[in-house]
Amino acid sequence: PEGRRAFIKVLVHWSLCEESQLGRDPTMEYLRDLKCWQIACPDKAGSMGKGADVKYYYFTTVSCQADRLFGRHTRCFLATDIRPTEMVSDNNPLRPKFVIKDLWAFSKRNASEDTRDEVRSLEKVKACLFAKAAERDIIIPKIEVGGRVSFLRNGGWVEDNTDTLYGRGKLVADKADTVDELSELAENNADDVNKPGEVRSDDDLYFRAHRRIVMEPIGEPLRSTTSVAEFVTVVCDVMRCHNAFVNDCSILHRDISPNNILVFRGDDGIARGMLIDLDCAIDIDQEKREEREGRVKRKEMTGTLPYMSINNLSGSLVEHTSLDDWESMLCVICWFATLGTISGKRRGDEELAGCPIGKWRQGSTKDMITAKESAFNNPELFKSSIVNHFKPEGVAGSTSDKGDKIGGGTVGKPDESELLKRLAISLHECLFKNPSLNPDFHGTVEKQKCGEQTLPNLSVQERLEAVRLHGQVPLTSEIPPMVNPLKERAEKWKDISEELLAFTNVYWEQAMALQKDALKAKSNATISTIPQ
């Protein structure tokens, strides 16, 4: 009887639940008469509510599915803000203008104190760069609206977050019997700002808020590039954009990976690159302020395997600077150059088995670190283990279907495959063998500092022998100190970043010229085939 009574109680509770309590998102609705979805988006950075703070969009296309059990559960919809007047069909399709990003991101409970909110970062980029973008010839994501999602429950607006769903840990759960009471308790305890010297609780670490962001323009994934010149243009564009984020907006991206790079094609047909997804980004100025205030910080490991920098992957205490993002871009370039940059003509993953670069995503984290340290430690190793495995692809003026021809490009124009190799080698040498650094600080692994002021530990006999050979007593018998090249490099990140940008601009101009020549040749070929 007790079991039947409990079962009936569950059924009754289910029948009385609101749709949001049963797992349905009440902010999305399928319009059957129009055959499209309507989605409500917050119209300000905090959270939506009170009707006036909600803006509606309409979509039929889901460009990114949330198909994993863990993570941010990110989905992307291609949408328009114009409500259709007739049923959507193949003959009357929606014409999307925006990308709506829907995700559950780690956040601070107090939205006003959530300095790492992607919406705030995008708003800052818009304020600092949008007016300058055309002059600098860069493509940046432009936020339309965005914020935390809320929905109506029992006649009031409730923020959609993990506190609302599950309650704020056992302590809160013990004080409430209903979900509404849990939400009320979470709201009353929302002021959860870290005080100087305090470490955030595990409960706070796992708080997630449901965010929705509307942006433009719409782009294509990095894998859609159709030539080496397009690929080089796109990745150079991204780092030119990245440099503007750092210098103009004081925003460090921290997750350079293929998923966060979009290809944008304008009316002229030229492929350009755009850097997206600022969910892992930090405000450099804000981080410095918190550091001065003495706030305790955990070492964070952000990014995407196999593109994370050695410093980031190892969990080192060395400061994460823009050079880590440049190293991540070098990894992206090497990865795609090995697989192939041309859509539909790439090597399969199984072909990576014989390439050293395949070890960047195999084994333990320590194995991956060792593989990258070995590959990047000096120019000779980088060329032999990485660059020499780049897939040969088409050249300027080449008509090879397979894109495997090397050499023989148009006179005065760089061979496309060689252009990609030179880009990778230039970035590598600037990062790991920069002439502005003492040779002691070249490479990737810790080593003993060389110099005239120190000698290894010596026995008495060895010291006498040193006097006989060198004519003087060693100044010290201490072992030379260990130096971390990554730490020394990080201290000069601004100067090295400017050098990297200078190299990038050169290759960007060459790749743009190749694209324009290819489009011109294609146009001339089309004209020549038209009957006179």
Side-chain angles (χ1 to χ4, degrees):
E2 288 298 324
R4 287 196 293 270
R5 187 179 294 108
F7 179 63
I8 292 172
K9 186 177 180 180
V10 169
L11 294 178
V12 171
H13 284 179
W14 274 351
S15 67
L16 297 175
C17 279
E18 295 188 9
E19 290 183 330
S20 63
Q21 294 171 305
L22 295 174
R24 181 178 179 276
D25 187 342
T27 64
M28 294 176 62
E29 179 184 1
Y30 186 69
L31 307 177
R32 297 185 182 278
D33 56 331
L34 297 176
K35 288 196 173 180
C36 69
W37 286 87
Q38 175 181 276
I39 182 170
C41 295
D43 200 14
K44 63 178 183 180
S47 61
M48 66 189 193
K50 300 182 181 179
D53 297 329
V54 179
K55 191 169 182 179
Y56 292 97
Y57 293 82
Y58 307 89
F59 72 91
T60 57
T61 304
V62 181
S63 62
C64 175
Q65 293 277 9
D67 53 1
R68 297 180 181 179
L69 289 175
F70 304 101
R72 292 174 288 177
H73 206 71
T74 303
R75 297 177 294 174
C76 293
F77 314 109
L78 304 185
T80 177
D81 57 349
I82 301 174
R83 182 184 175 100
T85 56
E86 300 177 0
M87 182 182 294
V88 177
S89 64
D90 292 340
N91 296 325
N92 182 41
L94 283 179
R95 302 189 183 281
K97 180 183 177 184
F98 304 102
V99 176
I100 299 177
K101 180 180 178 181
D102 182 275
L103 74 158
W104 286 78
F106 285 123
S107 311
K108 287 187 178 180
R109 286 182 168 79
N110 190 331
S112 65
E113 296 293 331
D114 196 357
T115 57
R116 295 190 179 184
D117 185 346
E118 184 177 9
V119 176
R120 297 182 186 277
S121 296
L122 287 167
E123 291 284 7
K124 191 173 184 181
V125 167
K126 182 179 178 180
C128 297
L129 275 180
F130 185 69
K132 305 175 185 177
E135 177 187 346
R136 298 191 184 183
D137 202 3
I138 56 176
I139 312 294
I140 63 170
K142 179 189 174 186
I143 184 171
E144 183 74 7
V145 297
R148 297 190 181 188
V149 176
S150 299
F151 56 87
L152 282 169
R153 175 185 289 174
N154 295 333
W157 287 91
V158 179
E159 184 180 290
D160 199 11
N161 57 44
T162 49
D163 282 351
T164 303
L165 294 176
Y166 309 118
R168 192 176 170 188
K170 293 181 179 179
L171 183 62
V172 175
D174 290 342
K175 298 178 182 178
D177 297 321
T178 67
V179 175
D180 289 330
E181 290 178 12
L182 286 171
S183 300
E184 183 179 354
L185 281 168
E187 187 173 336
N188 292 338
N189 288 277
D191 188 14
D192 189 41
V193 183
N194 259 13
K195 296 180 176 61
E198 288 187 343
V199 178
R200 301 177 74 182
S201 66
D202 289 340
D203 176 44
D204 192 52
L205 272 176
Y206 297 107
F207 173 79
R208 289 180 183 262
H210 187 186
R211 290 187 196 147
R212 203 165 277 161
I213 308 168
V214 182
M215 299 171 286
E216 60 175 332
I218 296 174
E220 301 173 336
L222 181 59
R223 62 177 180 273
S224 66
T225 54
T226 60
S227 69
V228 177
E230 282 193 359
F231 178 81
V232 172
T233 303
V234 168
V235 296
C236 289
D237 257 331
V238 164
M239 294 316 292
R240 293 169 69 242
C241 182
H242 176 276
N243 184 75
F245 284 0
V246 173
N247 291 339
D248 292 73
C249 312
S250 187
I251 289 176
L252 184 61
H253 190 276
R254 304 199 308 166
D255 189 12
I256 302 294
S257 67
N259 290 337
N260 296 334
I261 298 172
L262 288 185
V263 180
F264 174 76
R265 287 183 172 83
D267 296 335
D268 58 3
I270 298 290
R272 302 295 303 275
M274 182 170 65
L275 182 60
I276 62 168
D277 193 354
L278 300 181
D279 195 52
C280 292
I282 58 171
D283 185 317
I284 300 172
D285 292 340
Q286 176 68 26
E287 295 292 310
K288 294 293 184 184
R289 283 194 295 272
E290 292 184 1
E291 185 177 330
R292 288 194 297 269
E293 291 170 2
R295 300 197 184 193
V296 176
K297 294 181 179 296
R298 288 178 169 85
K299 173 62 182 178
E300 295 178 293
M301 190 167 70
T302 61
T304 307
L305 293 173
Y307 315 107
M308 294 167 63
S309 70
I310 296 170
N311 178 37
N312 190 13
L313 192 60
S314 64
S316 166
L317 295 178
V318 175
E319 180 185 4
H320 191 148
T321 70
S322 66
L323 298 185
D324 290 282
D325 285 358
W326 279 98
E327 186 180 332
S328 291
M329 176 53 80
L330 176 60
C331 293
V332 171
I333 291 170
C334 293
W335 192 268
F336 269 72
T338 304
L339 283 177
T341 62
I342 300 176
S343 178
K345 298 180 181 179
R346 294 193 171 92
R347 291 168 169 165
D349 283 354
E350 65 280 356
E351 296 183 64
L352 287 181
C355 297
I357 200 172
K359 297 179 181 178
W360 290 6
R361 65 175 185 184
Q362 296 173 357
S364 65
T365 302
K366 185 176 180 180
D367 293 334
M368 297 177 197
I369 295 169
T370 301
K372 285 193 175 183
E373 286 180 338
S374 175
F376 289 157
N377 195 44
N378 63 62
E380 292 72 27
L381 279 172
F382 178 64
K383 292 173 186 176
S384 63
S385 63
I386 302 298
V387 177
N388 289 348
H389 292 272
F390 284 6
K391 184 180 186 296
E393 296 187 285
V395 301
S398 171
T399 57
S400 170
D401 290 335
K402 295 183 179 180
D404 288 336
K405 179 181 176 183
I406 301 179
T410 305
V411 176
K413 303 271 180 75
D415 176 306
E416 289 192 19
S417 288
E418 290 303 313
L419 179 68
L420 186 55
K421 288 182 180 180
R422 291 205 306 271
L423 171 61
I425 290 170
S426 296
L427 296 182
H428 172 268
E429 291 193 359
C430 195
L431 280 167
F432 298 104
K433 195 180 179 182
N434 194 287
S436 68
L437 294 175
N438 185 300
D440 288 340
F441 307 143
H442 290 171
T444 59
V445 295
E446 288 191 357
K447 64 194 78 171
Q448 286 184 338
K449 184 176 182 180
C450 300
E452 298 178 358
Q453 302 300 309
T454 57
L455 285 175
N457 279 334
L458 302 174
S459 66
V460 173
Q461 188 64 35
E462 289 170 331
R463 288 168 65 82
L464 291 173
E465 182 67 13
V467 172
R468 186 182 69 79
L469 293 175
H470 303 291
Q472 63 179 4
V473 178
L475 297 176
T476 176
S477 61
E478 294 180 358
I479 297 176
M482 298 294 290
V483 294
N484 183 346
L486 303 182
K487 180 181 179 181
E488 303 299 330
R489 185 185 74 176
E491 293 178 357
K492 291 192 175 183
W493 71 267
K494 289 185 178 180
D495 293 338
I496 296 176
S497 293
E498 289 303 315
E499 291 182 47
L500 288 162
L501 181 65
F503 280 121
T504 300
N505 282 330
V506 171
Y507 291 106
W508 176 78
E509 290 174 359
Q510 293 181 6
M512 284 284 285
L514 286 171
Q515 277 203 76
K516 292 175 181 177
D517 287 349
L519 287 171
K520 184 178 179 180
K522 183 178 179 180
S523 176
N524 291 338
T526 302
I527 294 173
S528 66
T529 59
I530 298 176
Q532 301 297 323

PDB file of all heavy atoms in Angstrom, residues 443-454:
ATOM      1  N   GLY A 443      63.250  27.851 -26.844  1.00  0.00           N
ATOM      2  CA  GLY A 443      62.763  26.488 -26.693  1.00  0.00           C
ATOM      3  C   GLY A 443      61.550  26.379 -25.792  1.00  0.00           C
ATOM      4  O   GLY A 443      60.854  27.364 -25.511  1.00  0.00           O
ATOM      5  N   THR A 444      61.307  25.157 -25.294  1.00  0.00           N
ATOM      6  CA  THR A 444      60.090  24.883 -24.529  1.00  0.00           C
ATOM      7  C   THR A 444      60.342  24.270 -23.159  1.00  0.00           C
ATOM      8  O   THR A 444      59.435  24.244 -22.326  1.00  0.00           O
ATOM      9  CB  THR A 444      59.190  23.909 -25.310  1.00  0.00           C
ATOM     10  OG1 THR A 444      59.916  22.688 -25.549  1.00  0.00           O
ATOM     11  CG2 THR A 444      58.753  24.504 -26.643  1.00  0.00           C
ATOM     12  N   VAL A 445      61.560  23.751 -22.921  1.00  0.00           N
ATOM     13  CA  VAL A 445      61.795  23.006 -21.680  1.00  0.00           C
ATOM     14  C   VAL A 445      62.714  23.781 -20.752  1.00  0.00           C
ATOM     15  O   VAL A 445      63.554  24.575 -21.192  1.00  0.00           O
ATOM     16  CB  VAL A 445      62.408  21.615 -21.970  1.00  0.00           C
ATOM     17  CG1 VAL A 445      61.431  20.757 -22.741  1.00  0.00           C
ATOM     18  CG2 VAL A 445      63.721  21.740 -22.742  1.00  0.00           C
ATOM     19  N   GLU A 446      62.546  23.562 -19.453  1.00  0.00           N
ATOM     20  CA  GLU A 446      63.396  24.217 -18.466  1.00  0.00           C
ATOM     21  C   GLU A 446      64.838  23.745 -18.626  1.00  0.00           C
ATOM     22  O   GLU A 446      65.106  22.598 -18.959  1.00  0.00           O
ATOM     23  CB  GLU A 446      62.911  23.913 -17.055  1.00  0.00           C
ATOM     24  CG  GLU A 446      61.609  24.619 -16.690  1.00  0.00           C
ATOM     25  CD  GLU A 446      61.294  24.525 -15.205  1.00  0.00           C
ATOM     26  OE1 GLU A 446      62.069  23.855 -14.493  1.00  0.00           O
ATOM     27  OE2 GLU A 446      60.291  25.114 -14.774  1.00  0.00           O
ATOM     28  N   LYS A 447      65.767  24.676 -18.389  1.00  0.00           N
ATOM     29  CA  LYS A 447      67.188  24.333 -18.513  1.00  0.00           C
ATOM     30  C   LYS A 447      67.979  25.171 -17.527  1.00  0.00           C
ATOM     31  O   LYS A 447      67.470  26.147 -16.968  1.00  0.00           O
ATOM     32  CB  LYS A 447      67.659  24.592 -19.939  1.00  0.00           C
ATOM     33  CG  LYS A 447      67.598  26.064 -20.349  1.00  0.00           C
ATOM     34  CD  LYS A 447      67.750  26.257 -21.841  1.00  0.00           C
ATOM     35  CE  LYS A 447      66.458  25.926 -22.549  1.00  0.00           C
ATOM     36  NZ  LYS A 447      66.470  26.278 -23.961  1.00  0.00           N
ATOM     37  N   GLN A 448      69.238  24.785 -17.337  1.00  0.00           N
ATOM     38  CA  GLN A 448      70.102  25.563 -16.460  1.00  0.00           C
ATOM     39  C   GLN A 448      70.607  26.794 -17.200  1.00  0.00           C
ATOM     40  O   GLN A 448      70.972  26.729 -18.371  1.00  0.00           O
ATOM     41  CB  GLN A 448      71.282  24.724 -15.977  1.00  0.00           C
ATOM     42  CG  GLN A 448      70.908  23.696 -14.934  1.00  0.00           C
ATOM     43  CD  GLN A 448      72.114  22.964 -14.410  1.00  0.00           C
ATOM     44  OE1 GLN A 448      73.140  22.915 -15.060  1.00  0.00           O
ATOM     45  NE2 GLN A 448      71.996  22.396 -13.210  1.00  0.00           N
ATOM     46  N   LYS A 449      70.606  27.920 -16.497  1.00  0.00           N
ATOM     47  CA  LYS A 449      71.064  29.167 -17.089  1.00  0.00           C
ATOM     48  C   LYS A 449      72.574  29.125 -17.280  1.00  0.00           C
ATOM     49  O   LYS A 449      73.329  28.775 -16.378  1.00  0.00           O
ATOM     50  CB  LYS A 449      70.682  30.345 -16.192  1.00  0.00           C
ATOM     51  CG  LYS A 449      71.036  31.699 -16.784  1.00  0.00           C
ATOM     52  CD  LYS A 449      70.539  32.819 -15.890  1.00  0.00           C
ATOM     53  CE  LYS A 449      70.857  34.180 -16.503  1.00  0.00           C
ATOM     54  NZ  LYS A 449      70.383  35.289 -15.646  1.00  0.00           N
ATOM     55  N   CYS A 450      73.019  29.494 -18.471  1.00  0.00           N
ATOM     56  CA  CYS A 450      74.444  29.557 -18.768  1.00  0.00           C
ATOM     57  C   CYS A 450      74.963  30.945 -18.391  1.00  0.00           C
ATOM     58  O   CYS A 450      74.217  31.905 -18.329  1.00  0.00           O
ATOM     59  CB  CYS A 450      74.707  29.308 -20.248  1.00  0.00           C
ATOM     60  SG  CYS A 450      74.132  27.689 -20.800  1.00  0.00           S
ATOM     61  N   GLY A 451      76.268  31.073 -18.192  1.00  0.00           N
ATOM     62  CA  GLY A 451      76.825  32.388 -17.879  1.00  0.00           C
ATOM     63  C   GLY A 451      78.185  32.268 -17.247  1.00  0.00           C
ATOM     64  O   GLY A 451      78.596  31.199 -16.780  1.00  0.00           O
ATOM     65  N   GLU A 452      78.914  33.370 -17.234  1.00  0.00           N
ATOM     66  CA  GLU A 452      80.268  33.368 -16.715  1.00  0.00           C
ATOM     67  C   GLU A 452      80.294  33.423 -15.193  1.00  0.00           C
ATOM     68  O   GLU A 452      81.328  33.237 -14.577  1.00  0.00           O
ATOM     69  CB  GLU A 452      81.030  34.564 -17.286  1.00  0.00           C
ATOM     70  CG  GLU A 452      81.154  34.514 -18.799  1.00  0.00           C
ATOM     71  CD  GLU A 452      81.862  35.731 -19.351  1.00  0.00           C
ATOM     72  OE1 GLU A 452      82.207  36.613 -18.531  1.00  0.00           O
ATOM     73  OE2 GLU A 452      82.074  35.794 -20.571  1.00  0.00           O
ATOM     74  N   GLN A 453      79.162  33.740 -14.584  1.00  0.00           N
ATOM     75  CA  GLN A 453      79.154  33.952 -13.146  1.00  0.00           C
ATOM     76  C   GLN A 453      78.906  32.673 -12.350  1.00  0.00           C
ATOM     77  O   GLN A 453      78.982  32.698 -11.139  1.00  0.00           O
ATOM     78  CB  GLN A 453      78.074  34.979 -12.776  1.00  0.00           C
ATOM     79  CG  GLN A 453      78.262  36.329 -13.465  1.00  0.00           C
ATOM     80  CD  GLN A 453      79.591  36.952 -13.098  1.00  0.00           C
ATOM     81  OE1 GLN A 453      79.920  37.066 -11.921  1.00  0.00           O
ATOM     82  NE2 GLN A 453      80.373  37.344 -14.101  1.00  0.00           N
ATOM     83  N   THR A 454      78.608  31.584 -13.006  1.00  0.00           N
ATOM     84  CA  THR A 454      78.281  30.375 -12.264  1.00  0.00           C
ATOM     85  C   THR A 454      78.973  29.166 -12.860  1.00  0.00           C
ATOM     86  O   THR A 454      79.264  29.110 -14.049  1.00  0.00           O
ATOM     87  CB  THR A 454      76.765  30.109 -12.281  1.00  0.00           C
ATOM     88  OG1 THR A 454      76.322  30.015 -13.637  1.00  0.00           O
ATOM     89  CG2 THR A 454      76.004  31.216 -11.571  1.00  0.00           C
TER      90      THR A 454
END
